[in-house]
Amino acid sequence: MKFIDEKFLLHNRAAQRLYRQFARGEPIFDYHCHLSPKDIAQNRQFRNLFEIWLEGDHYKWRAMRANGVAEQFCTGAAEPFAKFRAWAATVPHTLRNPLYHWTHLELKRYFGIDELLDEESAARIWKKANAQLSRPELTTRGILKKFNVATLCTTDDPTDDLAHHKKIAADGVATRVFPAFRPDKALAVSQPEAFNAWVSRLEEAADTDIASLEDFVAALRRRHDYFHAQGCRLSDHGLNQCPASPCPDKTAAAIFARTRRGRAATPEEQAQWGTSLMLHFGRWDAEKGWVKQLHLGALRNNNTRLLKQLGPDTGFDCIGDFPQARSLVSYLDMLEREGRLPKIIVYNNNPVDNYVFATLIGSFQDGTVPGKMQFGSGWWFLDQKEGIQWQLNALSNNGLLSRCVGMVTDSRSFMSYPRHEYFRRVLCDLIGQEVERGELPDDDALLGTMIGNICYRNARQYLALPEPRETAPGGSPWRARGAAA
Ligand SMILES: [Zn+2]
């Protein structure tokens, strides 16, 4: 059998047919990623395979370090080709790691390269790919078009002016690019120095002075409104656990004042502060019809020496074993009791908790929106074949797979779009297997509709992102879907 042919991951005829007819042609709706809006605004052209593929990819750095490659070739000062060669020499050692599949799927889909990457083929592949990167089809905008990306949402700090998003919208780029509101830095009262520096940026962004808790919350609210005017309909939070420690305004004000004076919050104060702010964010999201994403359970920055040397997001994180159910239920329940529970997507990082998450969302489905509460697709350490299958199975067994809003790349790299293809193949294989066993009806209308919905249409409907205005004289370039232009 050929490696990564058209039947890749599709182990029977039903799976192959379903994929071909109902999944392959659907557009991509990438509602959570970490792509640089600047790169899209400037229609960045990548000079070589290092820039587009290795720069910023902590999955690859982890594999390289595990393979004994020195830091100089991962995040360090080595020349781009030397780094690429070090990666190429690592690839044969990644057999059965998702990197092995991703690497070869990406080489194939971006550059039509069928050769296996290793030390010997490195120079040839480098040359062949770099030649293609100089063409307009592989600029950032070219890539989005090539992969039929209808919509993508970046991940943005509330203090961001969103100038790049405005430029992208003004240029009429076919892929719609929206910001997402990620206020993690507003929660960091245990690090007064970083927090206070961030408050200064917030003062500037919201064009206001912040002297009290009320000022701080009002400034955040202004940024939330501003993001909304720029078409944002999603928020996102990266948390160990969802904070759920009731916090009267007086307590929050005291924590704020102490942090402003430079005193680090205690773990208990941190939890109270987090709860207080997360309730504000949840209410605002509900009022504006946004979707709130919660990325829960990663244990970050585990290696103190290398954190100091290289900074965060460089590959020194792992799956955490935080208890999730009670605090997440408490948080959702507080909003629910106020009648202000927004649409929520919870992403799980520990496979032990898959059934917890899949059942927990069921406790808050309220019949107002199909799939209002979502168990998000396999994330980070679970973004691979097995992790995707686990998430789909847990959701199927305890919820409605048919209402699932599908896959996101969650990637920093423009080379990650085949992750959607990968997910779709795993999904169709799962369904196809059960058709062959007589456990699902062999009914293309029924199954094909579900597959097409999961690949694209559910996300489109659920997120209800605005449409571009025909003309945008100064104001917001977006209007609510269905509203007059
Ligand atoms: Zn993310």
Side-chain angles (χ1 to χ4, degrees):
M1 188 181 264
K2 217 174 142 242
F3 178 55
I4 311 192
D5 65 359
E6 69 274 11
K7 295 176 189 164
F8 180 51
L9 302 176
L10 302 166
H11 296 111
N12 57 64
R13 288 223 185 114
Q16 289 155 19
R17 192 184 68 244
L18 290 168
Y19 176 72
R20 217 172 35 242
Q21 291 184 11
F22 303 105
R24 191 172 60 184
E26 287 297 325
I28 287 176
F29 200 119
D30 201 25
Y31 54 86
H32 176 67
C33 74
H34 299 266
L35 292 179
S36 153
K38 184 180 171 192
D39 284 349
I40 305 171
Q42 298 178 347
N43 198 18
R44 179 175 177 189
Q45 183 114 49
F46 298 92
R47 278 177 299 182
N48 53 51
L49 209 39
F50 167 76
E51 282 190 3
I52 193 172
W53 213 25
L54 271 67
E55 196 182 70
D57 188 342
H58 54 72
Y59 290 83
K60 290 190 179 72
W61 297 336
R62 277 169 80 98
M64 290 165 81
R65 291 175 193 132
N67 197 40
V69 174
E71 198 56 40
Q72 153 189 26
F73 298 98
C74 304
T75 58
E79 291 297 311
F81 180 69
K83 287 180 170 173
F84 175 74
R85 200 172 44 202
W87 164 240
T90 297
V91 169
H93 295 279
T94 66
L95 282 168
R96 295 202 80 242
N97 183 288
L99 284 164
Y100 198 78
H101 279 167
W102 293 345
T103 294
H104 293 104
L105 196 58
E106 287 159 12
L107 286 175
K108 220 174 157 75
R109 296 291 179 256
Y110 284 75
F111 310 110
I113 292 172
D114 269 321
E115 211 176 345
L116 297 182
L117 179 58
D118 56 29
E119 210 169 2
E120 192 274 321
S121 63
R124 272 194 309 280
I125 289 176
W126 174 259
K127 212 170 141 196
K128 199 169 169 184
N130 291 353
Q132 295 187 54
L133 283 171
S134 64
R135 298 187 194 145
E137 300 86 64
L138 292 179
T139 60
T140 53
R141 293 182 187 180
I143 288 168
L144 297 175
K145 186 173 169 214
K146 181 179 167 74
F147 285 90
N148 198 12
V149 183
T151 305
L152 73 87
C153 301
T154 57
T155 302
D156 307 276
D157 189 273
T159 62
D160 193 296
D161 64 6
L162 305 181
H164 299 305
H165 290 85
K166 287 181 189 168
K167 165 102 167 66
I168 296 165
D171 284 358
V173 176
T175 300
R176 296 190 187 159
V177 179
F178 295 93
F181 187 82
R182 178 137 165 175
D184 288 0
K185 293 197 169 86
L187 268 60
V189 281
S190 58
Q191 301 158 298
E193 208 175 309
F195 179 82
N196 287 323
W198 190 78
V199 173
S200 301
R201 291 207 294 281
L202 180 63
E203 283 181 313
E204 204 173 306
D207 193 19
T208 184
D209 290 327
I210 298 175
S212 65
L213 173 68
E214 291 76 51
D215 297 342
F216 179 70
V217 173
L220 277 168
R221 172 83 197 222
R222 270 169 98 159
R223 298 310 294 165
H224 199 273
D225 294 343
Y226 178 79
F227 271 55
H228 188 82
Q230 300 310 319
C232 176
R233 297 293 183 271
L234 281 117
S235 63
D236 182 31
H237 308 271
L239 301 161
N240 297 350
Q241 289 167 291
C242 198
S245 307
C247 178
D249 283 348
K250 238 172 74 185
T251 309
I255 295 170
F256 181 76
R258 283 197 291 267
T259 310
R260 294 294 279 154
R261 288 198 300 270
R263 207 210 74 179
T266 64
E268 195 199 337
E269 289 168 342
Q270 166 80 62
Q272 289 176 308
W273 175 258
T275 308
S276 165
L277 276 193
M278 287 298 288
L279 287 172
H280 285 301
F281 297 141
R283 291 169 192 136
W284 303 340
D285 290 350
E287 282 164 17
K288 294 196 180 85
W290 287 18
V291 172
K292 176 175 284 308
Q293 301 172 98
L294 301 169
H295 283 91
L296 301 173
L299 184 58
R300 293 170 195 262
N301 304 325
N302 302 329
N303 188 321
T304 310
R305 182 177 65 83
L306 290 167
L307 173 68
K308 275 191 189 141
Q309 197 180 314
L310 307 173
D313 300 324
T314 49
F316 299 96
D317 315 298
C318 73
I319 291 174
D321 54 358
F322 310 98
Q324 299 291 350
R326 191 176 291 277
S327 58
L328 181 54
V329 163
S330 299
Y331 172 65
L332 299 178
D333 193 48
M334 286 185 233
L335 290 168
E336 158 67 26
R337 274 180 288 166
E338 293 181 12
R340 289 193 281 191
L341 179 66
K343 292 178 277 186
I344 302 263
I345 307 175
V346 282
Y347 299 89
N348 175 34
N349 204 234
N350 188 333
V352 165
D353 293 329
N354 275 345
Y355 267 50
V356 172
F357 277 55
T359 54
L360 194 149
I361 59 168
S363 308
F364 294 94
Q365 303 285 15
D366 61 8
T368 56
V369 175
K372 176 174 175 176
M373 309 301 291
Q374 289 279 332
F375 175 22
S377 57
W379 165 53
W380 200 344
F381 299 107
L382 303 181
D383 178 8
Q384 18 83 356
K385 188 174 69 175
E386 194 172 49
I388 293 169
Q389 289 167 344
W390 285 337
Q391 186 268 349
L392 292 171
N393 282 326
L395 177 59
S396 300
N397 283 311
N398 289 290
L400 300 182
L401 176 65
S402 67
R403 292 295 183 186
C404 171
V405 292
M407 181 64 175
V408 289
T409 61
D410 199 352
S411 177
R412 290 169 167 73
S413 163
F414 283 88
M415 286 280 282
S416 296
Y417 277 105
R419 305 249 181 115
H420 283 268
E421 173 185 343
Y422 199 87
F423 170 86
R424 290 173 187 190
R425 287 177 182 271
V426 173
L427 170 68
C428 290
D429 187 51
L430 213 58
I431 304 296
Q433 275 177 39
E434 295 185 1
V435 170
E436 299 272 317
R437 292 202 295 260
E439 293 173 20
L440 287 173
D442 191 359
D443 182 333
D444 277 4
L446 182 65
L447 300 178
T449 303
M450 176 175 81
I451 288 168
N453 287 347
I454 295 170
C455 292
Y456 176 67
R457 291 185 293 269
N458 283 349
R460 185 175 183 276
Q461 190 182 352
Y462 180 73
L463 288 154
L465 291 164
E467 305 281 353
R469 278 187 203 276
E470 304 306 320
T471 51
S476 166
W478 306 104
R479 64 187 164 84
R481 205 149 93 205

